Amino acid sequence: MSTPTLSLPAPPAVSSEWALFLDVDGTLLDFADVPGDVAVDPGLIDVLAVLHGRLDGALALVSGRRLAQLDELFAPLKLPAVGLHGLERREDGHQERHPRPVALDQAVAWGRALAQRYPGARVEDKGTTIALHWRAAPDAEDLLRQYADSILIELPGYHLQHGNMVVELRPDGAHKGSAVVDLLAHPPFHGRRPVFVGDDLTDEHAFHAVCSHAGFGVLVGSRQPSAARYALHDPAAVRAWLEEGLDLA
């Protein structure tokens, strides 16, 4: 299968003046049918550790995963990070979490009962949010989307966030863009040129945020339209680009 032609140019080499924000699934890591099955090459962990040092700490993971999952995946690294698309945040060792509503327990139970009709479909309980996945069961898409729409009435203050073969029910008021802006207000990110690398629709908030702070976005893949200025083909290309960044001055 041929690689889609990118409509955007490749990004410049990583600069020591940047604040670098990295999405995880579909950006640093290749997708897996089950999120827990993703593989992290030890070489990537080494690259991130070196870049974190050379950027004076201004490198953060920004993910839909929980912070605890990120720490497990990238151990022994414990980088500045944003989890659950902005609902969890850690900088300088301080960690913040959004509370979980009681109604989420029943929403998870009902969703999992529906998902059982389609082997491979999954309802992921993230603590504060619910993610409905159909990557391994495409026929489940309509049912899971309809369920997500219907359950919103039980979760006031929540909305739907659509992603790559997933829809997530999550609280209003927080997203990757707002989380990036919050990080940019504090050391070691403050005063640096922000660069966000991501692949999904959920990353567009962050692309807009870094652009509004004299930075730019790097899209992984060929999805359009996008607020990103540059693009890389796939996670393998991202990892190679980051490794080349080890030569930054």
Side-chain angles (χ1 to χ4, degrees):
M1 185 173 63
S2 61
T3 302
T5 301
L6 297 180
S7 57
L8 299 171
V14 177
S15 166
S16 60
E17 305 301 315
W18 290 357
L20 187 57
F21 302 97
L22 302 169
D23 174 48
V24 175
D25 292 275
T27 296
L28 288 177
L29 307 181
D30 297 290
F31 281 117
D33 287 342
V34 178
D37 290 345
V38 296
V40 183
D41 190 295
L44 173 60
I45 295 175
D46 292 340
V47 168
L48 293 176
V50 173
L51 282 176
H52 179 252
R54 294 191 180 179
L55 293 171
D56 295 326
L59 183 151
L61 303 177
V62 183
S63 175
R65 291 179 180 268
R66 289 171 289 177
L67 293 183
Q69 289 178 309
L70 295 177
D71 290 343
E72 185 177 324
L73 282 172
F74 293 94
L77 275 183
K78 199 167 185 178
L79 296 167
V82 170
L84 298 179
H85 303 282
L87 294 174
E88 294 183 335
R89 188 168 69 252
R90 178 178 64 225
E91 53 180 310
D92 296 332
H94 177 66
Q95 189 161 311
E96 298 180 9
R97 290 189 178 91
H98 194 283
R100 174 187 175 94
V102 175
L104 219 57
D105 293 335
Q106 189 64 66
V108 170
W110 289 340
R112 286 177 172 168
L114 286 175
Q116 287 180 353
R117 301 180 189 177
Y118 295 89
R122 295 184 66 254
V123 175
E124 183 183 7
D125 185 351
K126 296 185 176 184
T128 307
T129 72
I130 309 172
L132 313 177
H133 299 267
W134 56 86
R135 181 174 300 279
D139 290 345
E141 177 178 358
D142 288 344
L143 178 65
L144 293 182
R145 285 188 182 276
Q146 290 169 13
Y147 173 70
D149 286 333
S150 68
I151 201 64
L152 274 182
I153 194 171
E154 305 292 336
L155 293 165
Y158 269 59
H159 69 279
L160 299 184
Q161 179 170 274
H162 298 276
N164 191 331
M165 305 192 79
V166 61
V167 63
E168 190 162 330
L169 292 98
R170 54 179 290 102
D172 297 333
H175 50 67
K176 288 183 177 181
S178 60
V180 165
V181 170
D182 287 345
L183 288 177
L184 287 172
H186 304 283
F189 303 96
H190 182 67
R192 289 172 166 267
R193 188 181 192 189
V195 175
F196 189 95
V197 188
D199 70 301
D200 207 346
L201 284 171
T202 61
D203 298 315
E204 290 297 324
H205 290 117
F207 291 154
H208 285 288
V210 294
C211 287
S212 70
H213 286 72
F216 61 83
V218 180
L219 176 68
V220 183
S222 55
R223 176 181 55 79
Q224 286 295 321
S226 175
R229 188 184 306 174
Y230 301 101
L232 291 163
H233 278 287
D234 52 27
V238 174
R239 295 190 292 266
W241 175 70
L242 292 174
E243 188 167 356
E244 291 169 1
L246 297 183
D247 296 328
L248 61 85

